[in-house]
Amino acid sequence: AAAIFDGKHATLIQSFGPEARGSACSAQVSVADDAIGYPYVKNPDVLIVMSPDAYTQFAPQLRPGGMLLYENELITVDDKLPAGVKTFGIPATRLAEELGRRLVLNIVMTGFFTGVTSLLSLEAVEKAVRESVRRGAEDLNLRAFSKGYERGRGTIAKGN
């Protein structure tokens, strides 16, 4: 939704096979200024991984020179990444737990993605978060988003 709020085109393909019970699930999102003719992603420019299984399964597919965002308290980045990949880690689970609700770790990571990449505007992603969560949970989710976003902007400011 955030891409659409920014006036872009977007597609989403999700895979929740037997892995959905805690292992490597995937969601492929394509964002472009023009219509998207083929929605499948073979070699992503940006990859977000939040579990060791997801890292093992999907990191080798990252485009050389791409960007890896990862849960740094669960994943150890190794030398098997494609050439020139920039890596950015965040303790998303711990930050979510500090807010009192581990389930918002995906929103922390959404904020981190927004802060590190600047691919979508802050306003569009905040609006998407606000409109996608259940009524009454907006404040918690927006705080989780802000925590991730601030960490992402700080990471970029430090040159990491």
Side-chain angles (χ1 to χ4, degrees):
I4 294 167
F5 294 148
D6 263 351
K8 299 180 185 293
H9 296 263
T11 63
L12 169 66
I13 297 172
Q14 297 173 314
S15 173
F16 295 107
E19 298 92 2
R21 298 271 183 223
S23 188
C25 302
S26 72
Q28 298 180 358
V29 178
S30 297
V31 176
D33 292 328
D34 300 315
I36 299 167
Y38 185 76
Y40 290 96
V41 178
K42 289 185 176 186
N43 301 105
D45 294 310
V46 179
L47 178 67
I48 301 171
V49 292
M50 297 174 65
S51 73
D53 288 344
Y55 177 79
T56 300
Q57 184 172 350
F58 300 114
Q61 299 169 14
L62 191 56
R63 176 185 62 78
M67 185 180 294
L68 174 72
L69 282 64
Y70 65 100
E71 169 43 272
N72 68 4
E73 291 187 348
L74 298 176
I75 297 166
T76 302
V77 174
D78 58 28
D79 59 359
K80 296 177 185 162
L81 289 174
V85 168
K86 297 175 192 87
T87 61
F88 301 93
I90 182 173
T93 305
R94 181 167 44 85
L95 294 174
E97 288 171 345
E98 288 173 3
L99 290 167
R101 193 77 199 258
R102 186 173 194 249
L103 289 176
V104 297
L105 72 101
N106 58 336
I107 303 297
V108 172
M109 189 60 87
T110 299
F112 189 64
F113 163 84
T114 305
V116 168
T117 68
S118 298
L119 291 173
L120 299 169
S121 72
L122 171 64
E123 297 78 18
V125 184
E126 280 183 329
K127 181 177 179 183
V129 168
R130 189 178 307 106
E131 293 185 6
S132 69
V133 301
R134 69 174 171 73
R135 179 174 234 132
E138 298 94 347
D139 181 60
L140 171 63
N141 281 274
L142 289 171
R143 284 187 292 128
F145 174 81
S146 292
K147 191 167 274 239
Y149 180 80
E150 290 166 13
R151 182 67 66 103
R153 295 310 305 154
T155 297
I156 294 302
K158 291 177 188 171
N160 294 347

